[in-house]
Amino acid sequence: MLNVIIGILVIIVIIYLAVVIYQRRSLKQVTAMEGELNRLRKSPVVHALHHGQQLGLTGPAAQQVQQEMARYEQLSKKQFPKIKQELARTQRATRGLNILQTRDDLELVRGDLEQAAHELDEIQATVTQIEAVHEKHRQAVSDLEQRYQKLRKELLTKNAAFGPAIDALEGKLSQLETAFSDFSQLARDGEQEEAEPKLNKLETETSELEELVKQLPALYQLNHDQFPKQLAEISDTYQQMKQAGFAFVDDDFLATIQSLRQLIAENNENIKHVDLEVIKDQDDELENAINSLYDRLSVELDAKKIVDQKSPVLTDFIAHAQNQNQLLVAELDKLSHNYTLEHGEQAAAQKFAQQLQAISDQHQQDLQAIAEKQAIYSQISNRLEQAQQELTQIEKQQIAVNDSIADLSQEERDAQLALDHLTNDLHGIHRRIENYNLPGIPDDYIDYFTMVSDELQQLEQTMKQAKLSMDDVGKQLQQIRKDRDSLQEKTDDLLDQARLAEQVMQYANRYATSQPDIAEALKQAKHLFEINYRYRDSLATMVSALDKVEPGAYRRLENNYYRNKPTTTNS
């Protein structure tokens, strides 16, 4: 029973503590709401409303300020006192135990405070907007008035600078001033909503007029002064150049100048109607066309300087090249009696002559055009450059041909000397064979020796011909040198095999009485050596038998032979 009583007491204490905590929390909320109410009552919106009433507004703007003032008074005199009463009631309720009622009262007061704050924000925003628009329109009236005064002054003081555009510009300014007057009246009447689009249009059109006033003098100066003077200068220069003997490709200068003058007249009409984009487009067209005419004149003037400088040089170059070609042709004709010219040298010289004649003919035509005052100097300058390049190339080719024939006589002497050396080499090879006193020479060696000898005789006959082909001589020399080298190798091999065969047979004689195989091998080897002249086979027979009796003996003999063998040289 005691436990039950204690449990009930604990529950009562907990409930009591919860109520106390909620009451304190609710009281803090009430205190905070009172602070919020005081903040709203002290809102600066009332000062903004009084300032708005002092602006001297009329019309819809003034009415709207009065409406917002009425809304504020409604809040100040009715809504705020009501909220204060609700807060007092809620504060008393927090001391009781009706928690639900306290919660509902708090929510009601919080909602009313939020609604009041929202209304104050709306009033502040509306008044601020009215004041901002009023200030904007007031400033715009002042700024636009100054801008129109400046425009009017500029049109009056610089009347001539605008040419035919002055009437249109003054008309636009008058229209703007009329529209400005309408806008000013709307601003004074407080018709802010109706005045705003008119202000935007005024700003745009005023900026456009200012841009016209800024740009048109320069555009008018171009079409009234600069372009006509440039065309006059081009026309005078063209006439002077024609009298001085200049000619032009597709000579349309006079027609183009006339066309551009007509275009200038049209553009002055565009200036009259202040059509800025069309004026600029036509100015670009005029400027490009005029610059093109200047460029064409400059090209011909510059080209004449080049022609005056390079034409005499080319005349001398052509004469020099033709003279060199005549000497080359004469030399080729002379050499053709003694040598076969096999690389088209004479045809090349003839081609050079034709090319030189073509260059000379064109150069003479250009000189004639200059003399007759019909010269298109830019074309002549290009041809001079091309001719110079062609002459330089021809000169290089002439030198190449001349170099190729300049050494024919020396080549012939060198070939004869080479023939003599090769003949001596063949005699030397023959003496080597004879000096060894071999029992005989193998047929294949004799055939190869004879072939080389015949080649030398053939070259000797060639060299005795009245008209030499040095290409053929060179080919024969190359083949003979190759065959001479091969014959030298065959000779070395023949003598080496014979000498080694003899040395091995002499060495093997020590075994002839004690080794029947050696005796038989000696017999066979001597027959091959002395009867068949097969020295390689004779050596092989002895090497095979000796290595069986004394392995390594032949290798020692061979190494000793090559170590002491004298060297031979070829020419």
Side-chain angles (χ1 to χ4, degrees):
M1 185 66 181
L2 180 61
N3 291 335
V4 173
I5 293 172
I6 292 172
I8 292 172
L9 290 173
V10 170
I11 291 172
I12 290 172
V13 170
I14 291 173
I15 292 172
Y16 174 76
L17 291 173
V19 170
V20 170
I21 291 171
Y22 183 76
Q23 286 176 341
R24 290 182 177 179
R25 179 172 172 271
S26 298
L27 187 58
K28 285 182 179 180
Q29 292 184 44
V30 170
T31 302
M33 290 179 185
E34 287 177 340
E36 176 64 11
L37 178 60
N38 289 331
R39 186 188 69 80
L40 294 178
R41 279 178 163 178
K42 296 177 181 178
S43 171
V45 69
V46 65
H47 300 295
L49 286 166
H50 289 317
H51 182 264
Q53 289 176 330
Q54 294 171 3
L55 292 175
L57 298 172
T58 60
Q63 294 172 8
Q64 196 168 6
V65 171
Q66 291 303 322
Q67 290 173 2
E68 297 304 320
M69 177 62 82
R71 284 182 69 189
Y72 177 75
E73 290 177 353
Q74 176 70 18
L75 283 170
S76 177
K77 295 177 179 180
K78 293 184 178 182
Q79 192 67 16
F80 290 161
K82 175 187 172 186
I83 294 172
K84 185 174 182 180
Q85 292 174 1
E86 290 173 347
L87 283 169
R89 184 178 65 249
T90 303
Q91 188 175 25
R92 290 192 297 272
T94 58
R95 299 189 184 97
L97 298 177
N98 193 344
I99 295 175
L100 295 177
Q101 181 61 46
T102 300
R103 184 195 65 185
D104 291 342
D105 289 346
L106 286 170
E107 290 298 324
L108 177 63
V109 175
R110 184 178 291 109
D112 288 346
L113 279 172
E114 289 177 353
Q115 178 62 33
H118 178 69
E119 286 194 46
L120 282 174
D121 288 342
E122 286 185 340
I123 293 170
Q124 180 70 54
T126 301
V127 174
T128 300
Q129 174 66 19
I130 291 172
E131 290 180 352
V133 172
H134 174 75
E135 178 59 24
K136 175 184 175 183
H137 288 176
R138 186 194 66 78
Q139 187 63 43
V141 169
S142 175
D143 292 345
L144 286 171
E145 192 169 17
Q146 292 179 14
R147 289 166 73 181
Y148 295 146
Q149 288 175 358
K150 182 180 179 181
L151 286 169
R152 177 65 66 185
K153 180 180 179 181
E154 191 156 1
L155 290 178
L156 286 172
T157 57
K158 300 179 181 178
N159 185 290
F162 298 99
I166 187 64
D167 291 341
L169 293 173
E170 289 179 341
K172 284 181 177 290
L173 180 57
S174 295
Q175 292 172 2
L176 284 174
E177 288 173 335
T178 300
F180 170 71
S181 178
D182 294 341
F183 162 71
S184 299
Q185 187 60 47
L186 289 172
R188 286 193 297 272
D189 292 345
E191 299 288 348
Q192 293 184 345
E193 186 173 353
E194 186 177 351
E196 186 64 19
K198 289 185 178 295
L199 173 59
N200 293 335
K201 184 178 180 183
L202 273 172
E203 291 280 3
T204 300
E205 293 181 351
T206 301
S207 295
E208 291 174 352
L209 179 58
E210 287 172 335
E211 192 64 24
L212 285 172
V213 171
K214 177 183 177 181
Q215 293 194 34
L216 276 171
L219 298 175
Y220 173 64
Q221 192 274 338
L222 280 177
N223 289 272
H224 178 69
D225 184 53
Q226 181 173 320
F227 288 158
K229 285 181 178 178
Q230 287 177 330
L231 288 179
E233 181 182 41
I234 290 170
S235 179
D236 291 344
T237 303
Y238 169 77
Q239 296 294 348
Q240 292 171 9
M241 290 175 68
K242 290 289 289 183
Q243 292 175 5
F246 286 84
F248 298 87
V249 180
D250 300 328
D251 189 353
D252 57 353
F253 268 83
L254 296 179
T256 301
I257 290 170
Q258 182 60 33
S259 174
L260 293 178
R261 283 172 174 160
Q262 180 61 36
L263 201 59
I264 292 171
E266 293 174 5
N267 216 24
N268 279 314
E269 190 66 22
N270 294 331
I271 292 173
K272 180 179 179 181
H273 297 293
V274 294
D275 194 342
L276 202 59
E277 293 304 316
V278 174
I279 295 169
K280 287 183 176 181
D281 289 343
Q282 203 139 313
D283 278 351
D284 289 342
E285 183 180 347
L286 280 162
E287 186 174 12
N288 291 335
I290 289 172
N291 287 340
S292 177
L293 292 177
Y294 272 122
D295 289 342
R296 290 173 65 185
L297 293 173
S298 296
V299 164
E300 296 303 324
L301 287 168
D302 293 342
K304 184 178 186 300
K305 295 176 183 177
I306 295 173
V307 171
D308 290 345
Q309 178 185 2
K310 291 188 175 182
S311 184
V313 176
L314 184 67
T315 301
D316 293 342
F317 200 167
I318 292 171
H320 172 73
Q322 287 179 325
N323 181 61
Q324 290 299 109
N325 209 62
Q326 290 171 1
L327 295 175
L328 179 61
V329 169
E331 181 65 16
L332 288 171
D333 183 61
K334 177 182 176 182
L335 290 173
S336 67
H337 295 296
N338 297 322
Y339 301 99
T340 301
L341 302 176
E342 298 168 303
H343 301 287
E345 291 90 348
Q346 289 178 302
Q350 183 61 36
K351 181 182 177 182
F352 298 155
Q354 294 171 355
Q355 291 174 326
L356 291 170
Q357 188 60 48
I359 294 171
S360 177
D361 290 344
Q362 180 61 63
H363 185 49
Q364 291 303 316
Q365 291 176 17
D366 290 339
L367 293 176
Q368 184 66 25
I370 293 172
E372 295 176 356
K373 297 188 175 182
Q374 296 177 354
I376 301 177
Y377 284 98
S378 58
Q379 293 182 348
I380 296 175
S381 176
N382 291 336
R383 286 194 290 267
L384 282 173
E385 182 66 26
Q386 181 64 29
Q388 187 131 12
Q389 293 176 5
E390 291 176 2
L391 286 170
T392 300
Q393 186 61 31
I394 291 171
E395 187 176 51
K396 291 179 180 178
Q397 293 172 344
Q398 287 175 332
I399 292 172
V401 172
N402 190 66
D403 289 347
S404 71
I405 62 173
D407 296 331
L408 284 177
S409 298
Q410 184 60 45
E411 288 177 18
E412 180 182 2
R413 290 191 294 271
D414 291 344
Q416 184 61 54
L417 184 60
L419 174 60
D420 294 341
H421 286 163
L422 289 168
T423 301
N424 290 336
D425 289 344
L426 191 64
H427 291 160
I429 291 171
H430 186 264
R431 284 194 298 272
R432 287 182 63 199
I433 296 295
E434 285 183 340
N435 290 340
Y436 197 71
N437 294 320
L438 293 173
I441 306 299
D443 292 340
D444 59 343
Y445 180 87
I446 292 174
D447 291 341
Y448 201 88
F449 186 95
T450 303
M451 180 195 73
V452 177
S453 179
D454 291 343
E455 288 175 348
L456 285 168
Q457 290 178 8
Q458 175 61 38
L459 178 57
E460 188 174 358
Q461 293 301 316
T462 300
M463 296 294 292
K464 292 179 180 179
Q465 292 177 359
K467 192 172 185 178
L468 281 179
S469 168
M470 293 312 298
D471 283 355
D472 180 43
V473 170
K475 290 176 182 178
Q476 288 189 52
L477 279 171
Q478 184 179 13
Q479 184 61 46
I480 293 171
R481 287 191 179 101
K482 180 180 177 183
D483 292 340
R484 181 277 314 273
D485 292 342
S486 180
L487 179 61
Q488 186 69 62
E489 291 175 2
K490 290 179 181 294
T491 302
D492 289 342
D493 186 60
L494 175 65
L495 296 178
D496 289 341
Q497 298 301 319
R499 289 168 178 166
L500 281 170
E502 287 181 332
Q503 289 183 15
V504 173
M505 284 189 287
Q506 290 173 4
Y507 187 85
N509 277 330
R510 67 184 66 188
Y511 298 108
T513 57
S514 60
Q515 297 292 335
D517 290 342
I518 292 294
E520 181 60 28
L522 282 168
K523 181 180 178 181
Q524 292 178 10
K526 286 181 179 180
H527 186 274
L528 291 169
F529 191 96
E530 296 173 354
I531 305 302
N532 301 120
Y533 318 136
R534 290 163 56 189
Y535 306 115
R536 184 182 297 278
D537 293 340
S538 174
L539 176 60
T541 299
M542 288 310 304
V543 170
S544 177
L546 182 59
D547 279 347
K548 292 176 183 179
V549 175
E550 185 183 345
Y554 171 68
R555 183 60 62 192
R556 291 196 307 275
L557 292 170
E558 183 183 39
N559 289 341
N560 185 63
Y561 169 76
Y562 283 112
R563 190 163 47 247
N564 297 309
K565 175 186 174 182
T567 58
T568 59
T569 58
N570 298 333
S571 61

